Amino acid sequence: MARMHVMERSEEQAIMDELHAAVGRRLAVSSLAPCPVEFTMAFVDMCSTQSCGKCTPCRVGLNTLRHRLSDVLRGRATMATLDGIERLARTIYLSSDCAIGYEAGAMALTAIQGFRDDFVHHVTYHACGFKQSEKVPCVSGCPAGVDIPGYISLVRAGRNTDAVRLIRKDNPLPMVCGLVCEHPCEMHCRRGMVDDPMNIRAIKRFACENMESDYRPVMAEPTGRRVAVVGGGPAGLSCAYYLAVMGHKVTILEARRQLGGMLRYGIPSYRLPREELDGEIQWILDCGIEARTQTEVGGDELQALRRDYDAVYLAIGAHGDRKLGLPGEDSEGVESAVAMLRAIGDGDTPDFTGQRVCVIGGGNVAMDVARSSVRCGASKVNIVYRRRVQDMTAQDEEIAGAGEEGCELLELNAPVRIEADEAGHVCGLVVQPQIIGSFKGGRPSPRPADTGERTIPCDRVIVAIGQAIQSKPFEEAGVGCNRGRIVTDTDGRVPGMDGVFCGGDCQSGPATVIRAINAGKVAAGNIDNYLGYDHKVGVPVDIPPVEFRDVGPCGRSETKFREANERRHDFCQIEHGLSREEALQEASRCLCCDHFGFGAFRGGRELQW
């Protein structure tokens, strides 16, 4: 008999691995769980199966906790039961020997405290108090509430123009979002339970690129009311579009040379080609919207606008830069990411030929300026970040793209000061190596490592640590602001200024394109009501009937990129869209959650708003 055996993956282990993977896939799309109490019980039940049985709090406590949660769901609990659940969860958390027990107790304690109202509702009414969403997961995950299953079914039926019409009911910039949206809808896609989430963004882009014919929206009768929109970014454009569709006369006032806001002055053309952006903007302006560029609006101008127009919408965005506050930051060669991208947006591409560039930051803007620096001729680009790569806020594909194009990522390095030569020009960035530590604010916090500072030689430093809102002129005119953000009521009105509304980045802080679009859509509806109307926005598009078909495992069709060594030399579009074959196959993967499954549209989909 052999003394030892080579470890082999048994058939039983393979099955168990797939079960683990299936649980992980379901958890990944379960952020819209129907009942917090039921979800907590299922979590505790799963944790109890992992207990080794060595310590009583874990072995006995989790099983007891599971039964008490079951009593709540079955209508056998009292208010005392809830207090007992909280005490038991805290005891398990504080006295278990290992993470299997104390993490389960901590999560159960978080649930009973965070969802107390839901637990109380179960005890009082013997029923779930969680309001079931009338939208399917992907629609709930989309800030603009786009009817995603609807337009996917239209693409599957070969009706791309109708798909775009349906998208524009809630999002007037479908091509822009088909190229640069961060697609939060995919996080909730139930297809992820089977294999991978739908490639929703790519399907949207395919529909826009393959419309059978152009069309114009149905416009309401002119109302004679005039609305001024301050800011030509995604929030301002969206608000202007929907107000125009509702019959109001809209004028956009933009401080810069061209419309687009951060779409133009924050996203490089290799991600968002200018011809596509200009085409979408012109399509919106053709709805009868007047645009005045290079028109600054401050506090005094705001008062004048309020006198001349029936309503005003402030959507000035977040176009200011943030400083590091480091010694040497005023040296020649130090600039902000906002200033660099703004110049590129206006066609003033800088020349970095032969220069060594350090980019400070870890978000999408940092990736954009790093990749743009490569295209501007930089000989070396370092991205300096004080945390780990996995802690970056940039999208994974942006981080990977920067690496493929030659950018070097220096993680766990905190900038200390910027060194300059005798002429006052940047010659190096001094950093302090970091070590990752305990969690603060949801992310592990870095601290200085037990090692000395080091200098990264460079000729230019670009600071990409966030954007600021230039709200001071409005604050001086009496507009309420809190930490730079304009304060509004829940409907977007600016307190104390009748008829003035605000939304987008200047109200919420820097956010995504789709959130800005949603802000403009919401503002349009509220301004329409303020003006005394109740217009409805909808489209006369018939959704194809649901097809009963095979929805078994099928690989996700991904978009493809130009070769890195080719694309790094120009600002041309880097991503290829799906082919017709790929798009139709991808659309056929949809599980039709608008027809099947918990959370489906009840009483019909939202045809208008």
Side-chain angles (χ1 to χ4, degrees):
M1 181 179 294
R3 177 182 175 186
M4 301 176 70
H5 295 275
V6 174
M7 183 175 139
E8 295 182 357
R9 190 164 177 258
S10 65
E11 183 178 349
E12 292 81 2
Q13 185 60 49
I15 296 173
M16 184 59 72
D17 289 345
E18 177 52 33
L19 289 174
H20 283 166
V23 171
R25 289 194 298 267
R26 283 187 174 263
L27 288 175
V29 299
S30 63
S31 57
L32 302 175
C35 174
V37 182
E38 189 171 20
F39 193 78
T40 302
M41 188 188 76
F43 177 78
V44 170
D45 200 18
M46 182 182 70
C47 291
S48 68
T49 66
Q50 299 175 318
S51 176
C52 68
K54 181 179 179 181
C55 69
T56 302
C58 182
R59 182 185 72 249
V60 178
L62 289 180
N63 193 43
T64 304
L65 183 58
R66 192 261 180 211
H67 285 297
R68 291 190 181 180
L69 290 169
S70 178
D71 288 341
V72 175
L73 289 170
R74 294 180 181 225
R76 300 191 300 232
T78 64
M79 296 303 294
T81 306
L82 301 186
D83 295 334
I85 289 174
E86 185 170 350
R87 286 195 304 272
L88 180 57
R90 182 178 287 105
T91 299
I92 295 170
Y93 165 57
L94 294 174
S95 58
S96 292
D97 287 348
C98 75
I100 292 175
Y102 66 68
E103 279 296 319
M107 293 307 297
L109 184 60
T110 299
I112 184 67
Q113 292 176 340
F115 298 112
R116 187 78 180 194
D117 291 346
D118 295 279
F119 282 83
V120 170
H121 196 281
H122 269 283
V123 171
T124 306
Y125 301 103
H126 307 305
C128 182
F130 184 82
K131 184 179 180 181
Q132 298 174 3
S133 174
E134 296 180 354
K135 299 177 181 178
V136 299
C138 59
V139 179
S140 295
C142 174
V146 174
D147 185 352
I148 294 169
Y151 81 70
I152 288 178
S153 68
L154 288 165
V155 170
R156 189 168 59 244
R159 297 164 54 190
N160 297 316
T161 300
D162 282 344
V164 174
R165 293 177 69 188
L166 184 60
I167 294 169
R168 280 197 171 120
K169 176 177 72 70
D170 302 288
N171 174 4
L173 296 165
M175 187 60 186
V176 167
C177 288
L179 290 167
V180 300
C181 184
E182 293 190 333
H183 46 78
C185 51
E186 294 184 16
M187 293 175 56
H188 307 294
C189 177
R190 281 207 191 99
R191 182 74 202 197
M193 295 188 301
V194 181
D195 34 55
D196 293 301
M198 297 284 298
N199 196 336
I200 297 171
R201 180 175 67 88
I203 294 174
K204 183 191 290 98
R205 174 181 173 180
F206 175 84
C208 295
E209 291 178 334
N210 294 273
M211 293 172 59
E212 297 82 23
S213 61
D214 198 7
Y215 76 98
R216 297 307 306 170
V218 178
M219 311 288 289
E221 291 295 322
T223 64
R225 298 302 186 98
R226 302 172 68 233
V227 181
V229 174
V230 182
L237 287 168
S238 299
C239 182
Y241 169 73
Y242 290 119
L243 285 172
V245 168
M246 294 171 182
H248 307 301
K249 183 63 178 176
V250 183
T251 301
I252 298 176
L253 306 169
E254 169 57 47
R256 314 216 175 275
R257 299 202 306 235
Q258 302 177 77
L259 298 179
M262 293 307 287
L263 297 176
R264 185 182 304 277
Y265 297 108
I267 302 177
S269 59
Y270 65 80
R271 290 179 56 205
L272 179 56
R274 294 302 175 249
E275 58 271 19
E276 302 290 358
L277 175 60
D278 291 339
E280 295 247 275
I281 292 175
Q282 190 59 51
W283 192 92
I284 291 174
L285 295 180
D286 287 344
C287 294
I289 299 169
E290 179 186 357
R292 301 176 188 171
T293 56
Q294 295 183 287
T295 304
E296 290 272 0
V297 175
D300 295 338
E301 292 81 3
L302 178 60
Q303 297 294 342
L305 288 176
R306 187 61 195 93
R307 291 192 299 268
D308 297 339
Y309 290 84
D310 297 295
V312 178
Y313 179 55
L314 293 178
I316 59 174
H319 292 267
D321 53 26
R322 293 187 181 277
K323 302 293 185 181
L324 284 165
L326 298 180
E329 194 170 3
D330 57 350
S331 303
E332 185 181 350
V334 180
E335 63 181 296
S336 73
V338 172
M340 176 183 171
L341 293 175
R342 182 185 304 151
I344 293 175
D346 274 332
D348 302 326
T349 305
D351 184 6
F352 293 169
T353 301
Q355 296 184 21
R356 299 162 299 178
V357 178
C358 278
V359 177
I360 301 175
N364 283 331
V365 173
M367 300 304 114
D368 284 339
V369 295
R371 300 173 74 176
S372 295
S373 297
V374 171
R375 289 162 171 78
C376 291
S379 61
K380 184 175 181 59
V381 177
N382 289 319
I383 302 171
V384 182
Y385 187 55
R386 69 190 186 97
R387 300 179 189 268
R388 305 171 301 174
V389 174
Q390 55 265 49
D391 301 321
M392 282 184 158
T393 57
Q395 291 180 278
D396 291 342
E397 63 186 44
E398 289 297 306
I399 299 172
E404 291 168 0
E405 292 170 5
C407 302
E408 184 176 354
L409 180 56
L410 305 179
E411 60 180 336
L412 290 172
N413 280 284
V416 175
R417 62 183 177 276
I418 297 170
E419 293 189 339
D421 57 22
E422 295 179 355
H425 195 281
V426 171
C427 65
L429 174 65
V430 180
V431 297
Q432 169 63 56
Q434 305 286 293
I435 182 172
I436 207 66
S438 58
F439 275 68
K440 292 181 181 179
R443 289 191 296 174
S445 179
R447 67 178 189 275
D450 188 14
T451 184
E453 298 175 349
R454 69 188 188 95
T455 302
I456 305 171
C458 61
D459 306 298
R460 188 173 298 272
V461 174
I462 303 174
V463 181
I465 58 169
Q467 300 145 246
I469 302 164
Q470 297 171 322
S471 59
K472 188 174 181 180
F474 298 99
E475 188 171 8
E476 292 173 347
V479 176
C481 296
N482 181 19
R483 296 184 178 181
R485 301 180 186 179
I486 296 177
V487 177
T488 67
D489 294 331
T490 55
D491 62 352
R493 299 191 198 203
V494 176
M497 304 193 76
D498 182 55
V500 178
F501 292 73
C502 175
D505 288 357
C506 61
Q507 183 265 335
S508 65
T512 60
V513 173
I514 191 64
R515 291 194 178 278
I517 289 171
N518 177 60
K521 170 187 168 182
V522 170
N526 290 335
I527 292 173
D528 183 65
N529 285 353
Y530 168 78
L531 295 175
Y533 299 89
D534 188 26
H535 289 104
K536 302 298 182 184
V537 176
V539 290
V541 173
D542 295 326
I543 306 299
V546 172
E547 301 174 3
F548 295 88
R549 65 190 190 284
D550 177 24
V551 289
C554 176
R556 167 180 160 124
S557 295
E558 300 284 4
T559 54
K560 302 174 183 63
F561 293 88
R562 293 167 56 205
E563 184 180 345
N565 196 45
E566 172 191 324
R567 70 185 191 232
R568 69 195 300 271
H569 297 294
D570 59 54
F571 279 88
C572 297
Q573 167 74 346
I574 64 173
E575 185 180 17
H576 299 296
L578 299 178
S579 66
R580 181 177 182 277
E581 181 183 14
E582 290 172 326
L584 293 180
Q585 175 177 292
E586 189 63 19
S588 70
R589 295 176 65 236
C590 181
L591 298 179
C592 300
C593 295
D594 54 333
H595 185 82
F596 304 107
F598 186 74
F601 291 124
R602 306 181 192 282
R605 57 188 1 104
E606 187 179 85
L607 300 176
Q608 60 183 15
W609 56 270

